[in-house]
């Protein structure tokens, strides 16, 4: 392994690159499994405190919305004593499978910075030294954005969705009895999807570096993006304006930040080109 690590990336064959990638993937998966094993042993905390937290009406998000509604003199479902649904497992292996997969996903979420680190170690040898120096904060920034998104998904998107879907009824004759796997999937999707969405500035940064995205393109499709964000907010939140705005605003802010980042990248590239005397100009 030491020999592979000191090999010039430009002299490595395709099979050498595959071997290098294989070891990065093995280390990443190992980290996820190790953290997941710890999560497996913390069953009560993972399920009773974390996963089933948004099911309890003393959840911080519900208390906040209840206090806001009370302050303005409105009645709110967020002030109820409990959510009118139960969670059950209909399969023999349902609870054990949920325990296994939830532990694995917990390992991925907690171990995300290390997974990024392994990805970066594989990609960075192909960059110039100056590019590596300029990207030193990549892992910290990307991890911070991911965890911010995960927290946003857990404390905003997941409880809003659970509260709406858990109280929705087409008829009083129908009771809500959700399967464990369905409930876990809802919370997991909210957390991981928001975590990845919050990586938008990082994605735009690299797409701008390779010339696939420009600030003009982002501005051109800003109105379309606004419509998409509002539709997405309407799908994952209760059908009220307040909840949709709460979800849409951070995403729109990220989009504006991405435009700023794209503009800054192009400015730096333009300065580099002028220093080299290439005569490249920007529109």
């Amino acid at each position: 392994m030491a020999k592979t690590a000191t090999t010039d990336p430009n002299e490595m064959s395709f099979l050498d690159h595959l071997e290098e990638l294989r070891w990065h993937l093995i280390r990443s998966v190992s980290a996820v499994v190790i953290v997941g094993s710890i999560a497996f042993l913390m069953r009560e905390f993972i399920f009773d405190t974390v996963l089933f937290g948004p099911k309890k009406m003393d959840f911080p998000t519900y208390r906040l919305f209840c206090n806001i509604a009370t302050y303005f003199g409105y009645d709110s479902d967020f002030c109820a004593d409990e959510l009118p649904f139960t969670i059950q497992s209909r399969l023999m292996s349902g609870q054990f499978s949920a325990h296994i997969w939830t532990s694995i996903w917990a390992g991925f979420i907690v171990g995300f910075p290390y997974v990024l680190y392994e990805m970066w170690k594989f990609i960075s040898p192909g960059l110039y030294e100056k590019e590596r120096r300029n990207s030193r904060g990549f892992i910290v920034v990307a991890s911070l954005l991911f965890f911010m998104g995960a927290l946003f998904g857990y404390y905003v998107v997941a409880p809003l969705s659970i509260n709406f879907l858990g109280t929705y009824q087409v008829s009083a004759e129908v009771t809500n009895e959700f399967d464990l796997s369905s409930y876990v999937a809802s919370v997991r999707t909210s957390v991981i999807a928001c975590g990845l969405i919050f990586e938008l500035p990082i994605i735009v940064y690299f797409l701008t570096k390779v010339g696939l995205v420009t600030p003009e393109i982002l501005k051109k499709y800003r109105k379309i993006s606004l419509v998409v964000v509002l539709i997405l907010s309407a799908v994952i939140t209760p059908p009220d304006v307040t909840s949709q705005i709460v979800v849409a605003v951070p995403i729109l802010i990220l989009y504006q930040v991405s435009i700023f980042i794209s503009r800054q990248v192009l400015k730096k590239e333009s300065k580099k080109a002028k220093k080299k005397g290439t005569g490249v100009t920007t529109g």
Side-chain angles (χ1 to χ4, degrees):
M1 289 303 299
K3 182 178 179 180
T4 304
T6 57
T7 303
D8 185 353
N10 296 320
E11 296 178 359
M12 292 174 65
S13 67
F14 177 71
L15 291 179
D16 289 333
H17 280 293
L18 285 181
E19 177 67 11
E20 189 74 11
L21 176 61
R22 184 173 75 92
W23 280 105
H24 286 298
L25 291 176
I26 288 174
R27 287 192 290 269
S28 298
V29 172
S30 299
V32 170
V33 170
I34 291 172
V35 178
S37 299
I38 297 173
F40 185 86
L41 299 175
M42 300 172 64
R43 182 183 60 191
E44 289 79 10
F45 173 76
I46 294 296
F47 280 88
D48 294 336
T49 303
V50 178
L51 271 177
F52 295 143
K55 184 183 180 299
K56 303 170 184 176
M57 292 310 297
D58 61 350
F59 195 66
T61 305
Y62 299 145
R63 292 204 307 269
L64 174 63
F65 278 92
C66 177
N67 291 336
I68 293 174
T70 302
Y71 178 80
F72 288 103
Y74 292 104
D75 293 330
S76 174
D77 291 337
F78 294 111
C79 297
D81 294 329
E82 62 179 2
L83 289 171
F85 70 86
T86 58
I87 300 175
Q88 55 186 328
S89 178
R90 298 176 181 273
L91 300 175
M92 285 287 292
S93 61
Q95 295 196 52
F96 182 71
S97 295
H99 191 187
I100 292 290
W101 283 107
T102 299
S103 300
I104 292 174
W105 283 110
F108 172 77
I109 293 171
V110 177
F112 185 78
Y114 183 78
V115 174
L116 271 182
Y117 171 72
E118 287 296 337
M119 289 175 54
W120 182 245
K121 281 185 65 178
F122 177 71
I123 296 172
S124 60
L127 303 176
Y128 293 110
E129 180 62 30
K130 189 172 183 179
E131 291 176 329
R132 285 198 292 270
R133 288 200 305 269
N134 293 336
S135 303
R136 277 178 182 169
F138 163 73
I139 296 174
V140 174
V141 174
S143 299
L144 181 62
L145 287 173
F146 178 80
F147 287 129
M148 287 174 59
L151 290 174
F152 179 78
Y154 179 70
Y155 282 105
V156 178
V157 178
L160 289 178
S161 300
I162 290 170
N163 184 275
F164 169 66
L165 296 174
T167 58
Y168 187 83
Q169 282 185 300
V170 295
S171 170
E173 298 295 324
V174 183
T175 58
N176 285 329
E177 298 177 348
F178 302 138
D179 191 75
L180 175 61
S181 60
S182 176
Y183 177 87
V184 171
S186 296
V187 177
R188 181 185 66 228
T189 302
S190 298
V191 171
I192 295 179
C194 288
L196 296 178
I197 288 174
F198 270 57
E199 295 292 336
L200 180 62
I202 299 293
I203 296 172
V204 168
Y205 172 82
F206 284 105
L207 290 179
T208 303
K209 290 284 288 184
V210 299
L212 295 178
V213 168
T214 64
E216 288 71 25
I217 292 176
L218 294 174
K219 289 179 182 178
K220 180 180 178 181
Y221 293 103
R222 179 160 45 192
K223 292 182 179 179
I224 298 176
S225 301
L226 174 61
V227 174
V228 172
V229 168
L230 291 176
I231 293 174
L232 179 63
S233 301
V235 170
I236 64 178
T237 62
D240 64 87
V241 177
T242 303
S243 299
Q244 293 175 21
I245 291 175
V246 167
V247 173
V249 167
I251 300 177
L252 293 176
I253 292 175
L254 284 172
Y255 194 85
Q256 287 299 124
V257 171
S258 298
I259 294 176
F260 173 77
I261 290 174
S262 181
R263 186 183 297 118
Q264 293 301 116
V265 171
L266 287 185
K267 283 184 180 180
K268 288 184 179 181
E269 293 296 325
S270 177
K271 288 181 181 179
K272 289 179 183 178
K274 288 180 180 178
K275 287 181 179 180
K276 292 180 180 179
T278 57
V280 175
T281 59
T282 57

